[in-house]
Amino acid sequence: MPSIAPYASAMLLLAGGIQAHFTVQHPPAVGPFVDDDEPKKPCGGYHPDIENVTITDFHVDGDAIGTTLTHSQSTWLYRATLDPTAENGWILVYPIFDQSGSGLYCQPHVTVPHDFIGKKGYIGMVSHAKDGYLYQCAGVNFVAGTGPVPEDCRNATGVSATYADDGTLSSDPNNPGTPAPTPSPSSQHEHNGGVSTKGQTFMTLGGLLTVGAMVALGAVLVI
């Protein structure tokens, strides 16, 4: 049975009025949670070693990421790496999206490239909110197939999410916050809404959509 400790901690932070940034429910975050260290890369002030962190399975054809936000709005980046120190090699594994409303948001359909199967690495969550860029990581074993949806994978009352165009997050998954370069006229055809769509597709409930198409449609995320 999954531990309720992450939920208990998040609820205590909310109830007590402590200005936490965000906490992670799925997959379990590596290292101790230190609120003041969340702005520090790569994992909220924690520098992990893949051989010395708790590892959970993450299914490459779809698995859950769940976080609890204590602000009213955040833009999110989900990323993954096989770097044992989580310092480099990050790739985008889900379209950038905005969360509106504080509390739990869970997305159970995050996919990872098949060449990650059988390898250990990290899932990273980056929040861009009013308090800047914040980081957490989860140590995972990438496995084949689709993971079961956790019983507690749901959205808090009043929480919604829509795909977004945030070039400062998507331009370089290794260094979120780096401004996206201004495209030259010759490369304009590779961009849609400011987000490069070349070679990037993501699995959603409705099938495969490019990032640019989802942004242009103002697509609403569902679980």
Side-chain angles (χ1 to χ4, degrees), residues 23 27 33 44 51 77 117 123 126 138 142 145 147 149 160 168 171 189 192 200 203 207 216 219 221-222:
T23 56
F33 174 79
E51 299 302 326
L77 163 72
I117 294 174
I123 291 292
V126 184
F142 294 103
V149 178
S160 61
T168 63
S171 62
H189 68 282
N192 185 354
Q200 292 197 34
M203 182 65 74
L221 284 71
V222 294

Side-chain angles (χ1 to χ4, degrees), residues 195-211:
V195 178
S196 174
T197 62
K198 184 178 181 181
Q200 292 197 34
T201 55
F202 298 87
M203 182 65 74
T204 69
L205 290 178
L208 289 171
L209 291 175
T210 64
V211 178

Side-chain angles (χ1 to χ4, degrees), residues 91-223:
I91 63 168
L92 190 70
V93 294
Y94 198 77
I96 305 298
F97 67 94
D98 284 332
Q99 176 180 337
S100 177
S102 61
L104 176 65
Y105 176 78
C106 185
Q107 174 51 252
H109 304 291
V110 178
T111 62
V112 177
H114 277 201
D115 56 3
F116 278 44
I117 294 174
K119 302 173 183 177
K120 295 178 181 179
Y122 301 93
I123 291 292
M125 309 83 174
V126 184
S127 165
H128 182 199
K130 65 180 183 180
D131 43 6
Y133 295 88
L134 309 171
Y135 304 85
Q136 289 289 347
C137 304
V140 299
N141 179 42
F142 294 103
V143 298
T146 302
V149 178
E151 292 183 2
D152 56 4
C153 187
R154 61 182 184 273
N155 296 348
T157 301
V159 169
S160 61
T162 55
Y163 293 109
D165 178 3
D166 187 333
T168 63
L169 277 174
S170 62
S171 62
D172 183 359
N174 283 295
N175 297 290
T178 303
T182 301
S184 63
S186 62
S187 65
Q188 287 284 353
H189 68 282
E190 294 181 1
H191 290 74
N192 185 354
V195 178
S196 174
T197 62
K198 184 178 181 181
Q200 292 197 34
T201 55
F202 298 87
M203 182 65 74
T204 69
L205 290 178
L208 289 171
L209 291 175
T210 64
V211 178
M214 288 185 287
V215 172
L217 291 172
V220 176
L221 284 71
V222 294
I223 65 170

Side-chain angles (χ1 to χ4, degrees), residues 29-32 42-43 45-55 81-87 120-122 137-140:
V30 297
C43 301
Y46 183 69
H47 295 271
D49 174 352
I50 199 64
E51 299 302 326
N52 294 300
V53 297
T54 300
I55 298 291
T81 185
L82 297 175
D83 181 348
T85 65
E87 294 289 345
K120 295 178 181 179
Y122 301 93
C137 304
V140 299

